[in-house]
Amino acid sequence: MKIEEYKRKIKQIIISEEQIKEAIKEAGKEIDALYDGRPILLVSILKGAFVFLADLCRAVSVPCEIGFMCAKSYYSGTVSTGVVKITMDLEQDISNYHVIIVEDIIDTGRTLKDICNMLKQRNPLSLRVITLLDKPERRIVEFKADKALFTIPDYFVIGYGLDCAEYYRSLPYIAEYGENE
Ligand code: IMP
Ligand code: MG
């Protein structure tokens, strides 16, 4: 992609770096209060949630371990095809952990519904879901996160880990993707 096109498609910033920082600080405090020193495992769903996890784990002061899972929801352009595949599984046996799934965005709800069902069968001590963004208008299967930092309208968004065709994950803010009229 050419740099001019790359820049042009960053339509508008919808959540600033500062707003994200502030919300994560609060979310970290809530986790500290909720778990109160119990062993927690923060599970990031790759790739989109890697930036959120990196900041969230530094906002938490209870001892925590980190785990990674890779789920791919297949997109053709900006439209979800509804196919979710686990391409890399956790290495931990989660039966000894309070698990928090850390996700970037809940859109149709399919990815998290599948992942939660799968992880519940492994009998974690408890299971919660925290997502940076929620697009409730787009839900196809019923799913509610225990905590959503921001609820957004039906925009296709990029930045802070979220991509469009693998680009834009490195932006420090969340922006709407599209042509500037
Ligand atoms: P769901 O299974 O439809 O809820 O899809 C969730 C996954 O789709 C997220 O983890 C993202 O990777 C991707 N996704 C959904 N909406 C967006 C978006 O607006 N921008 C970038 N990725 C998105
Ligand atoms: Mg994702």
Side-chain angles (χ1 to χ4, degrees), residues 92-121:
Q92 289 92 342
D93 166 4
I94 62 173
S95 61
N96 293 318
Y97 293 95
H98 293 279
V99 175
I100 308 178
I101 300 178
V102 180
E103 178 60 310
D104 52 355
I105 187 166
I106 309 179
D107 185 34
T108 66
R110 288 189 185 107
T111 308
L112 278 186
K113 186 143 202 165
D114 282 7
I115 289 180
C116 279
N117 286 340
M118 194 172 126
L119 295 189
K120 269 182 204 153
Q121 285 168 12

Side-chain angles (χ1 to χ4, degrees), residues 36 48 69-70 72 88 97 109 119 121 134 166-167 169:
D36 194 25
M69 257 178 114
C70 195
K72 270 205 153 67
M88 186 185 86
Y97 293 95
L119 295 189
Q121 285 168 12
D134 190 5
E166 297 299 328
Y167 282 111
R169 296 190 194 276

Side-chain angles (χ1 to χ4, degrees), residues 122-135:
R122 301 181 191 173
N123 297 313
L125 297 176
S126 67
L127 183 65
R128 284 173 67 83
V129 173
I130 179 167
T131 184
L132 179 72
L133 306 172
D134 190 5
K135 281 199 279 195

Side-chain angles (χ1 to χ4, degrees), residues 20 24 42-58 66-71 88 101-105 130-132 158-164 166-172 174:
I20 298 173
I24 290 180
L42 296 175
V43 175
S44 164
I45 314 295
L46 295 174
K47 301 177 195 164
F50 83 104
V51 181
F52 182 33
L53 175 86
D55 283 343
L56 183 66
C57 73
R58 286 176 290 176
I66 306 293
F68 294 102
M69 257 178 114
C70 195
M88 186 185 86
I101 300 178
V102 180
E103 178 60 310
D104 52 355
I105 187 166
I130 179 167
T131 184
L132 179 72
I158 49 172
Y160 199 77
L162 291 117
D163 73 308
C164 181
E166 297 299 328
Y167 282 111
Y168 302 107
R169 296 190 194 276
S170 53
L171 297 177
I174 301 282

Side-chain angles (χ1 to χ4, degrees), residues 47-86:
K47 301 177 195 164
F50 83 104
V51 181
F52 182 33
L53 175 86
D55 283 343
L56 183 66
C57 73
R58 286 176 290 176
V60 165
S61 42
V62 290
C64 68
E65 286 185 41
I66 306 293
F68 294 102
M69 257 178 114
C70 195
K72 270 205 153 67
S73 30
Y74 289 89
Y75 268 80
S76 70
T78 57
V79 182
S80 166
T81 59
V83 184
V84 179
K85 214 177 145 202
I86 308 295

